[in-house]
Amino acid sequence: MAPLPLQIINLCAALMLLLSFAMLSQRRVLTLVDLFALQGLVLSISIGVVAWNTGQPHLYYSAGLTFVLKVVALPLILHRLIRRLDARWESETLLNIPTTLMAGLLLVMFSFALAQPISELATTLTRGTLGIALAVVMLAFLMMITRRKAVTQVVGFLAMENGLFFAATSATYGMPMVVELGVALDVLVGTVILGIFFFHIREQFDSLDLSHMESLKED
Amino acid sequence: MMTGYPTELIAVTALGCGWLLIGLLALARPHSVSWVARGLFPLGALAGIVLTGLALAALHHSAQTLVLPLGLPQLPLHLRLDALSAVFLLLIGATSAGISMFAAGYFRTGEGTAPGLLALQYHLFLASMLFVVLADDAFSFMIAWESMALSSYFLVTSQHRIAEIRRAGFLYLLMAHLGAVGILLCFGVLQGGSWQFSFAALRAAHLTPLWASIAFFLALLGFGTKAGLVPLHVWLPEAHPAAPSPVSALMSGVMLEIAVYGLLRVSLDLLHAQVWWWGLAALGLGLLTALYGVMFAAVQTDMKRLLAYSSIENIGIIFLGFGLTVVFQAFRMPVLAALALAATLYHCLNHAFAKSLLFLGTGSVLHATGERNFGRLGGLIHRMPWVAWLVLAGTLAIAGLPPLNGFVSEWLLLQSFLFTPTIPHDFINMLLPLGAAGLVLAAALSGYVMVKFYGIVFLGQPREARLAQARDCGRLERLGLLWLAAGCVFLGLIPVQMLALFSRVTEELLGASLGTLSQHWWLLAPLSAQRASYSPVAFMFSIVAFVALTLLTVRLLYHGRVRRAAPWGCGGSSLTPRMQDTSEGFGQPIRQIFEPFFRLQRELPTPLERAPHYRVQVEDRFWFWLYAPAAALVQRIARLASVVQQGRISVYLLYSFLTLMALLVLVL
């Protein structure tokens, strides 16, 4: 029987993977953002548990930062954006949902295979969850590839960042504080800039559907 | 004799920085012609004269080195001043003094780039050439080399509002980059696994014959591109007409020679393994270049294009001499190698003076008449006597007539060719006399080209009425032309002393001196007086005496009976300017004889036309053989790349996703 903190962390990892799949299958954009916020919450809990278990104070900051940014700030910004842009529904995905889920399954297997050798090298308590962290990154990437709307792409990008954070905590107990702060700022600024882009894209094409941007290609 | 403290090197370095400073000072009042042209350019010319003196002083000392703690960490700038550098510093200093003086009077307002910016680029160009010559490690060499290329690019495109000039500039930049890649790779090969890039380390590196050959040919490619070796010459006839005249003069007279310096430095100093067929390759390419250049020069109708092709010819002669040096050195005949090298260096110096003079003269004509086309010039000797007489010295020097400098170097080169039968190799023995014959052909044709250049522009009758308004050049321009013309005459009169200077270079590079040149200061007799000797002073005196005698006789016999008629009119007056020989007509025999070399496009009038016109266009075959296919190939590859360019974001994301997966699989 593994110790309690490890069990909690494993549970969190499983929840994150589940939420990733949920996001992959979700076509309503507002729900997607809620799922993203939930994933952020799970992430911050798991970081908190790791912090409590290893007694590293900077991980507490990291957990707090994740909570503030990914559970509160970014979902709020995204909600407002979606309401203002009136982009509640994702249009038809490029791949239908069941096929996407199957591809996701394959990706999870792939990332577990990849994580195997690293996990053996790592000395941390949480090394078993590295495969899940990689899978979260890949699933988010897959979501970006298969969706058409600009807002969904941003959510996918942020979810990928969640996966990276999780990978960092599970492999090495988190990145240095400076890096985390930098990444957090990048994500915030990136979202704001992308928000501005949304308005420009909609102004230009009367839609947030990215397939319209194919006309920009030069022959 | 100073050995320890590098006085001259420090002074030369300071001078280079001084040029940079002059360039920066020009930015203080960039639009004021009086500040930039009348104030700063003469200062730059003065620095050139000082540089000449310093180089002469440095030739009498042993090599000096200096390490400046500048640049990247652990990569300080190494500088070195030895005899080879000193000869080329002499060239830069002496030639640029005349050009800068001319430029002081030449630049006016309202021509493309602001004068201050032009002055900055001009002096940066000068300073970077100086540092190319001083550089003693591959990094500082490349930095100086590239800033030379870039500053000259901006100088070429100073009239950037004209699309044709922008195109010429692009071609130049492209070729400059190609050459730089060659040189960079050459240094990469030269280090031979030690990863030390100071020239001392490159000198010490041991290369297998194969790698040494690769390094040599990379250097030939890199420096040949800059020098204009056929078939890498295409940028010259485009870039020279595009640039302002002092810049053309500097590029043709100095920069091409700097490329020769680079080749000499790499192949004779850094690479010691000498292989005879390297020399043969350089010799063959040089011969091809010389003949190709002079043939095309003969059929040009634009003054500057003609001069550009003539530069290609002279570079060919220089490469010929270089190839001969390598052949002699490979067969362990150091004294003959030294003679060939001295002739090569001499020709560099001569070409620098004479070609700058001609380009500057072209600039004066261009300013006075607004015309570069031979078909609309003529008879300018009466309107612009200063320019005409000074340019005459340059044309005679390029044509290789005694007692001017061009003759001496070509004569010396031929002399060294005459010793080739002593080479212990049958094949080369048979081949090299052909090279000598080719050299003589090129020299003779260059005489033809110069007759065309001078005769069409300055002699005969003006082909356009407005040429009567042409004014002679100003005082500063005159001074610059006079300096260069005097250099042409002076260099022709002191061959013994010049060879004594070059002897220091040959001692350093080849281990042989030209010590036993002559017993007399006025008699040039390479190797032995029994074989051949030449006394320029005696030549000059007899020429002067003949001319004076003729003039005197004419004056005495025909006193008071002189009647002026139109030139070439045979005493009659029925000859109109349109009946004179044109540049096309003058070049026609060459076009006819060497027709297979040209790509001709002719438009002949039919007998029934009311307004008949005749047009002939001569194009470079290499352009269609080599460059057009290369450009087409690049286009095709680029189109292949556009297949992946879908324009759909999800596809792009898929690309990065697949890349990520591939990398992960590869790493783990």
Side-chain angles (χ1 to χ4, degrees), chain B residues 478-489:
Chain B
R478 236 174 259 174
L479 204 60
L481 292 175
L482 197 60
W483 168 269
L484 292 171
C488 285
V489 177

Side-chain angles (χ1 to χ4, degrees), chain A residues 3-76:
Chain A
L4 182 67
L6 188 59
Q7 285 192 33
I8 298 175
I9 288 168
N10 281 343
L11 178 68
C12 287
L15 278 177
M16 279 192 74
L17 191 59
L18 195 64
L19 282 169
S20 282
F21 271 106
M23 284 161 82
L24 205 55
S25 64
Q26 184 56 256
R27 279 182 57 204
R28 238 173 304 175
V29 180
L30 279 176
T31 322
L32 195 64
V33 174
D34 291 341
L35 285 172
F36 164 71
L38 207 58
Q39 197 182 36
L41 183 68
V42 174
L43 178 64
S44 64
I45 289 172
S46 82
I47 298 176
V49 172
V50 173
W52 173 60
N53 192 34
T54 58
Q56 294 195 35
H58 87 96
L59 279 178
Y60 283 116
Y61 298 123
S62 182
L65 196 68
T66 308
F67 184 79
V68 171
L69 203 64
K70 294 196 174 136
V71 185
V72 185
L74 285 176
L76 265 179

Side-chain angles (χ1 to χ4, degrees), chain A residues 94 107 110 114-115 117-118 134 137-138 141-142 144-148 153 210-211 213-215 217-218, chain B residues 642-643 645-658 660-668:
Chain A
L94 287 174
L107 277 181
F110 175 71
L114 272 183
I118 310 180
L134 262 179
V137 173
M138 298 240 176
F141 215 142
L142 186 65
M144 285 178 79
I145 291 174
T146 54
R147 301 303 176 88
R148 286 187 176 180
Q153 305 257 325
L210 291 176
S211 57
M213 293 175 91
E214 281 174 40
S215 62
K217 192 183 115 173
E218 206 178 327
Chain B
S642 77
V643 170
Q645 189 83 1
Q646 291 278 337
R648 287 165 69 169
I649 287 183
S650 36
V651 176
Y652 294 144
L653 281 171
L654 191 66
Y655 290 151
S656 40
F657 185 63
L658 291 178
L660 179 71
M661 300 246 291
L663 287 178
L664 281 173
V665 170
L666 210 71
V667 169
L668 299 177

